[in-house]
Amino acid sequence: MLRFRGQYTHAMDKKGRVSIPVRFRETLRGRYDEQLILSLWHGCLVAYPFEEWEKLEDNVEQLPRFSPVVKDYKRVFISAAQECPLDSQGRILIPPELRTRASLQDKVFFVGMTDHFEIWNRDQYMQKYEPMLEKISEIEEELSLLSEKRRE
């Protein structure tokens, strides 16, 4: 099954255009269409194929409409979303507001997350996640516990 996997560094031009990694484009073309939805999330941008974004929105719509938490989530995450189609050269134009809020500069870092991918300021990603490599055993333990709870 085609999924978004791997990590790639790409250059972003002054207009905010960046090439989507070839492997990610193959997943988009093979499993989805070439329409992405970008939104801001925890210091990076998330890029969802349109179909996956619709599933996410459908899940949000099932939550209590008048809940303050749901409203805040919609205001922060859903409302920031913008459609970004691939051009004929496999690039997207990242809107200026999203570029600024995610601190994206000339080098961006793509991170595959199976059903979507993230777009990071490369230096910020390395600073935040490189230290986690030393904690991988602890992370695996936590995942094992989550898996056991899910089976119960």
Side-chain angles (χ1 to χ4, degrees):
M1 179 173 284
L2 294 170
R3 298 197 184 266
F4 299 106
R5 296 182 189 96
Q7 299 177 341
Y8 307 91
T9 301
H10 281 242
M12 182 172 61
D13 69 17
K14 293 187 186 304
K15 294 180 182 179
R17 294 177 301 198
V18 63
S19 289
I20 300 298
V22 172
R23 300 265 180 185
F24 291 1
R25 278 184 283 179
E26 289 170 354
T27 299
L28 283 169
R29 289 182 179 130
R31 186 170 179 188
Y32 305 104
D33 59 19
E34 294 184 353
Q35 181 73 23
L36 289 171
I37 306 291
L38 299 185
S39 191
L40 190 67
W41 186 252
H42 292 279
C44 72
L45 298 180
V46 289
Y48 281 87
F50 190 77
E51 179 183 325
E52 297 295 340
W53 181 262
E54 283 190 321
K55 289 178 192 176
L56 188 144
E57 284 184 341
D58 290 344
N59 287 335
V60 171
E61 288 303 309
Q62 300 303 311
L63 299 171
R65 172 173 294 208
F66 298 107
S67 162
V69 172
V70 173
K71 286 181 182 180
D72 287 344
Y73 182 79
K74 286 181 174 182
R75 284 185 189 114
V76 172
F77 184 63
I78 303 293
S79 71
Q82 296 196 34
E83 295 180 24
C84 297
L86 270 66
D87 68 13
S88 61
Q89 296 176 355
R91 301 176 302 186
I92 57 170
L93 174 63
I94 300 175
E97 177 71 14
L98 292 178
R99 283 195 313 260
T100 299
R101 292 178 68 195
S103 302
L104 297 181
Q105 297 177 10
D106 59 338
K107 287 196 177 174
V108 298
F109 195 60
F110 289 85
V111 179
M113 301 291 287
T114 66
D115 67 340
H116 69 283
F117 56 91
E118 298 175 339
I119 304 171
W120 284 84
N121 170 305
R122 190 178 191 289
D123 293 338
Q124 287 179 351
Y125 179 88
M126 292 304 173
Q127 183 178 11
K128 187 170 184 174
Y129 290 104
E130 230 12 68
M132 284 192 183
L133 291 174
E134 296 172 16
K135 298 179 181 183
I136 196 69
S137 294
E138 295 169 33
I139 293 169
E140 288 171 335
E141 238 175 85
E142 281 292 317
L143 290 173
S144 177
L145 292 172
L146 288 172
S147 181
E148 288 174 17
K149 285 181 183 177
R150 195 171 147 200
R151 282 186 239 147
E152 293 175 356

